[in-house]
Amino acid sequence: MADTFTTRVLDITTGSSEAVHDLTDACASFLSEAARGRDGLLHVFVPHATAGIAVIETGAGSDSDLLAALRELLPADDRWQHRHGHRGHGRDHVLPAFVPPHATLPVIGGRLELGTWQSVVLVDTNVDNARRNVRLSFLG
């Protein structure tokens, strides 16, 4: 199994504001070591109750649009029963139902097989937690 499964944890600082953090380069770097030219699957997982993983276009406004849509869909107000942390923090705990905490992606010839404009991102709306772990696992 050691030759077919490799995993690494990234330590990501998202800061004190909502963030869409691009993980694509970190995924590619991990695969250059872990996949060694093989086909397989990359599993990306964020082990936090208030963050998610998405595959979206970045750099053309889509990341800001995603955060704006989440603010509209999940307002940071007092409607949430989950009330510790900053005002509206309960919405952060609902986020993973809309942006799941994981993605499994194809790896072909040791490279992440994404579409032309696709990027792998960490979505974090929890301003109370500026540090996140993201686990990258390659099976191939």
Side-chain angles (χ1 to χ4, degrees), residues 46-111:
V46 57
H48 298 279
T50 59
I53 301 294
V55 177
I56 64 168
E57 177 181 6
T58 59
S62 296
D63 37 357
S64 297
D65 289 342
L66 173 58
L67 291 175
L70 290 171
R71 275 186 227 112
E72 187 173 321
L73 183 64
L74 305 170
D77 58 21
D78 292 328
R79 73 182 70 199
W80 309 103
Q81 292 181 35
H82 188 105
R83 294 191 183 268
H84 75 86
H86 67 276
R87 181 175 185 260
H89 175 63
R91 67 127 184 190
D92 300 326
H93 287 274
V94 176
L95 173 77
F98 295 90
V99 182
H102 57 84
T104 302
L105 305 163
V107 176
I108 307 298
R111 299 178 60 121

Side-chain angles (χ1 to χ4, degrees), residues 1 6 9 23 25 30-31 36 51-52 57 72 74-75 83 92 94 105 109 112 122-123 127 134:
M1 182 82 162
T6 306
V9 176
L23 301 171
D25 288 344
F30 168 70
L31 288 171
R36 298 185 313 267
E57 177 181 6
E72 187 173 321
L74 305 170
R83 294 191 183 268
D92 300 326
V94 176
L105 305 163
L112 192 55
L122 167 67
V123 180
V127 300
V134 176

Side-chain angles (χ1 to χ4, degrees), residues 120-138:
V120 182
V121 299
L122 167 67
V123 180
D124 187 3
T125 59
N126 183 358
V127 300
D128 293 335
N129 188 353
R131 298 197 59 152
R132 298 299 187 161
N133 292 318
V134 176
R135 178 172 295 279
L136 305 178
S137 300
F138 174 73

Side-chain angles (χ1 to χ4, degrees), residues 1 3-8 27-28 30-45 102-114 120 135-140:
M1 182 82 162
D3 289 342
T4 62
F5 181 81
T6 306
T7 190
R8 175 180 301 154
C27 291
F30 168 70
L31 288 171
S32 71
E33 298 171 24
R36 298 185 313 267
R38 294 176 295 169
D39 295 351
L41 296 171
L42 174 67
H43 187 74
V44 183
F45 175 69
H102 57 84
T104 302
L105 305 163
V107 176
I108 307 298
R111 299 178 60 121
L112 192 55
E113 192 69 16
L114 293 173
V120 182
R135 178 172 295 279
L136 305 178
S137 300
F138 174 73
L139 179 63

